[in-house]
Amino acid sequence: MGLILEVKNLTKKYGGLTAVNDISFEINRGEILGLIGPNGAGKTTIFNLISGLERRDSGSIRFDGVDITGLKPYQIVNLGLARTFQLVRSFRYLSLLDNISVACLSPRGKEAFGHIGIDEVASTILTSVGLVDKARIPPVILPHGDLRKLEIGKALGTNPEMLLLDEPFSGLAHEEKQGITNLIKRLSNEGVTIFLVGHVLRELMTLVPRAIAMHKGRLIAEGHPEDVASNKIVRESYLGRGEAFA
Ligand code: ATP
């Protein structure tokens, strides 16, 4: 086991707004950790800081024993920490197979898969995310749920030790959510550490054994998701947003 991610006293300001305010938490290797909080809580900013898209004002981030504070996104991916985005981004007119292949051509992907053959690996990844029958079509004609699976598939192409999943259920129908839940559980069973953001608490309940909650840039609760969801401060932070507990 042991720690894979250590976030210490992380702070990020945008002008007068402190989006992330002195946040500290840790993630164990192999764990699935959920991050919840209402809109604007600072969840995506945390992901952007960890994945190197944004620079922190203070604090530090260690991944797998390495200080990654201030590293560029590609350097962080090459250490084995990959992410997905809330707004799905892909090469819209390339086939799904080619989209995954591009990720497999990352230095870390090539190192792990180069000897096998990129097409074969991309095809295996498409199978694992349930898209292999659509390998030859472009993302531009895919439904939303499939795009989210593709997003995870692209991250897998970089052979990650850990995945950051930003709102993997957002905008999905019930069956699609179930499909993504099963996929995340399987990846976790295969040893990938998962850190995922959600703002609908119920969606995370059966998936994550531990959750942390943010509000206005601060960490306000930590523990079993049922306890976090019933925490008074968490419930107040969601006030007027009853759908979050639906
Ligand atoms: P959501 O669930 O709506 O995505 P979130 O919890 O992910 O919300 P963030 O996107 O991290 O919240 O935003 C936290 C706060 O920081 C918000 O008030 C947001 O408006 C602000 N913010 C985020 N990015 C920027 C930016 N680039 N410039 C200025 N303010 C920003």
Side-chain angles (χ1 to χ4, degrees):
M1 279 293 267
L3 296 179
I4 192 164
L5 191 81
E6 298 165 78
V7 171
K8 278 201 187 127
N9 307 111
L10 201 58
T11 295
K12 172 71 186 175
K13 296 180 180 173
Y14 295 111
L17 175 92
T18 307
V20 171
N21 196 344
D22 196 24
I23 293 265
S24 300
F25 63 93
E26 294 169 343
I27 304 184
N28 291 310
R29 194 176 297 279
E31 190 179 7
I32 310 185
L33 179 72
L35 169 58
I36 61 162
N39 291 337
K43 307 179 298 294
T44 296
T45 305
I46 288 270
F47 268 30
N48 289 344
L49 292 168
I50 295 172
S51 58
L53 285 176
E54 296 273 10
R55 288 192 163 267
R56 98 286 187 233
D57 290 299
S58 56
S60 66
I61 307 162
R62 287 179 78 78
F63 171 69
D64 214 2
V66 178
D67 187 352
I68 60 166
T69 323
L71 291 190
K72 301 258 186 290
Y74 73 89
Q75 294 172 310
I76 293 170
V77 170
N78 284 337
L79 289 170
L81 178 51
R83 73 168 287 177
T84 64
F85 289 87
Q86 199 173 339
L87 292 175
V88 175
R89 300 172 184 193
S90 49
F91 297 109
R92 286 156 53 85
Y93 297 101
L94 290 184
S95 69
L96 300 198
L97 193 74
D98 287 345
N99 265 278
I100 303 280
S101 298
V102 170
C104 295
L105 288 169
S106 61
R108 201 180 151 87
K110 268 202 292 205
E111 194 186 323
F113 309 129
H115 62 290
I116 305 171
I118 295 299
D119 268 12
E120 195 181 324
V121 176
S123 190
T124 306
I125 291 173
L126 280 175
T127 303
S128 82
V129 298
L131 290 175
V132 75
D133 53 337
K134 298 177 178 166
R136 301 283 165 197
I137 63 171
V140 71
I141 58 171
L142 283 188
H144 201 60
D146 284 350
L147 288 175
R148 294 231 171 262
K149 291 181 193 164
L150 175 64
E151 189 76 354
I152 296 176
K154 286 189 308 181
L156 294 178
T158 66
N159 186 31
E161 292 274 328
M162 178 168 171
L163 273 179
L164 307 179
L165 304 176
D166 196 353
E167 300 267 7
F169 304 111
S170 109
L172 298 189
H174 179 72
E175 309 77 58
E176 291 176 321
K177 284 179 187 167
Q178 199 50 53
I180 298 280
T181 298
N182 294 341
L183 173 58
I184 293 171
K185 281 183 180 166
R186 209 177 62 239
L187 293 173
S188 172
N189 287 337
E190 288 167 7
V192 181
T193 306
I194 310 270
F195 182 29
L196 80 160
V197 159
H199 74 262
V200 181
L201 305 180
R202 286 280 157 221
E203 289 170 358
L204 301 187
M205 289 296 177
T206 57
L207 182 58
V208 304
R210 184 168 76 99
I212 55 179
M214 284 181 77
H215 181 46
K216 295 187 177 167
R218 289 192 182 274
L219 210 58
I220 53 169
E222 173 172 4
H224 188 276
E226 295 283 354
D227 297 332
V228 170
S230 55
N231 178 293
K232 189 167 174 280
I233 303 170
V234 173
R235 295 194 80 88
E236 282 171 4
S237 76
Y238 275 93
L239 219 56
R241 300 180 176 101
E243 82 284 357
F245 292 91

